[in-house]
Amino acid sequence: MNKGAFITFEGIDGCGKSTQIAMLEEYLVSSGKTVIKVREPGGTVVGEKIREILLSKKNDSMTPMAELLLFVAARAQITEEVIKPALSEGKTVICDRFFDSTFAYQGYARGMGTDKVMDINLAATGGLEPDITFVLDISPEKAFERRAVRDGGQQDRMEALGLEFQRKVREGYILASQKYPRIKVIDASGTPDEIASVIRDLTMKIGEA
Ligand code: TMP
């Protein structure tokens, strides 16, 4: 990996993304890269407002199409305001979720159609795609246990959709990985160090193929 890269992390809720993002960031910074870390939905003033709307349990009347368009709206904003400028300055961008979340959650698990969702996604990002995407793959049961420890049983609007929904999201990610070679499915049941080492090795190979 020579220049700045666009790296995204994906997975069902509670898959361990935050730990792995922090570990990869530390590694890249210690090897001299300038790294910026952002999350979706959010990462901009507009995006954080959209995040509040999307995750508040008060908004349980939101239609699937409104949900889809709000996630994509937040993405359009962060792509233009933060991600593209950083990449053009040669920085590495690590994004906690990006458009494969919309593929798996709205396109597949909500049943809105993965092709339709990807068309809208690409319109929102002006064709920008990650260089590499890590899907941290874990069983919904194990992820649920992790979230219970982390959040003390508190759930946002998306997490409250339950285990069956998370199972579908997991399937959605596997489907995405079969369509897009940039997506690497990582077994997230190992120790944080084991997982981090696999992710580091794959990251260092970006641009080699
Ligand atoms: P987070 O808790 O990882 O920040 O993600 C917020 C929630 O929003 C999580 O349940 C996944 C969901 N989500 C979607 O359903 N579609 C999307 O496009 C994104 C980015 C997140």
Side-chain angles (χ1 to χ4, degrees), residues 10-14 17-18 39-42 51 54-55 67-68 70-72 74-75 96-106 110 117 121 150 156-161 165-166 169 173:
E10 297 282 353
I12 62 173
D13 297 286
K17 282 183 285 106
S18 309
R39 70 164 179 187
E40 270 229 62
R51 180 181 179 91
L54 279 164
L55 299 187
E67 178 182 292
L68 166 66
L70 283 170
F71 276 117
V72 173
R75 179 159 311 124
D96 183 344
R97 299 194 179 281
F98 196 60
F99 58 28
D100 301 307
S101 283
T102 324
F103 181 106
Y105 282 77
Q106 283 68 46
R110 285 270 197 224
V117 160
N121 267 330
R150 185 188 70 189
D156 64 35
R157 192 179 65 86
M158 298 303 292
E159 289 165 348
L161 294 168
F165 186 78
Q166 297 289 327
V169 173
Y173 278 124

Side-chain angles (χ1 to χ4, degrees), residues 1 14 18 23 29 68 73 77 82 87-88 92 112 116 126 132-133 136 142-144 159 168 173 178 193 204:
M1 181 186 150
S18 309
M23 291 173 88
V29 169
L68 166 66
Q77 187 72 29
V82 181
L87 291 172
S88 66
T92 290
M112 300 197 70
K116 179 169 87 183
I132 196 164
T133 299
L136 303 187
K142 187 141 190 219
F144 183 83
E159 289 165 348
K168 282 202 198 143
Y173 278 124
Q178 290 159 354
D193 283 335
M204 296 326 283

